[in-house]
Amino acid sequence: MAWTWRFEKADGTETAPAVVPEEFTTQGDAESWIGEVWKDLLEGGAERVRLSDDAGAEIYAMSLREALDA
């Protein structure tokens, strides 16, 4: 199974990430990666991220701005 991040601006439109993601074979790998680079992604213009599996099912969405403010 593959896991994919979608990167979005504040208005929900897709944007290119400031850090190019790897290919993730586990959800844990995808989540570890986002934990390492989320600040760089936010500085690069991504406000939200969405994690999906290879069947296209969205697992969850997260606001990077809210993570910064937490």
Side-chain angles (χ1 to χ4, degrees):
M1 181 168 282
W3 301 87
T4 306
W5 288 104
R6 174 185 162 96
F7 307 93
E8 299 177 349
K9 297 178 185 178
D11 65 3
T13 58
E14 191 168 10
T15 187
V19 180
V20 178
E22 314 163 12
E23 290 188 20
F24 306 107
T25 56
T26 69
Q27 182 176 349
D29 288 346
E31 291 171 343
S32 292
W33 179 84
I34 205 77
E36 295 171 7
V37 301
W38 70 271
K39 287 183 181 178
D40 296 325
L41 294 168
L42 181 59
E43 289 174 6
E47 293 274 333
R48 296 184 54 79
V49 293
R50 297 179 184 275
L51 181 62
S52 300
D53 64 17
D54 58 359
E58 184 176 302
I59 306 307
Y60 62 83
M62 178 176 67
S63 168
L64 300 178
R65 179 71 53 202
E66 289 176 13
L68 181 65
D69 295 340

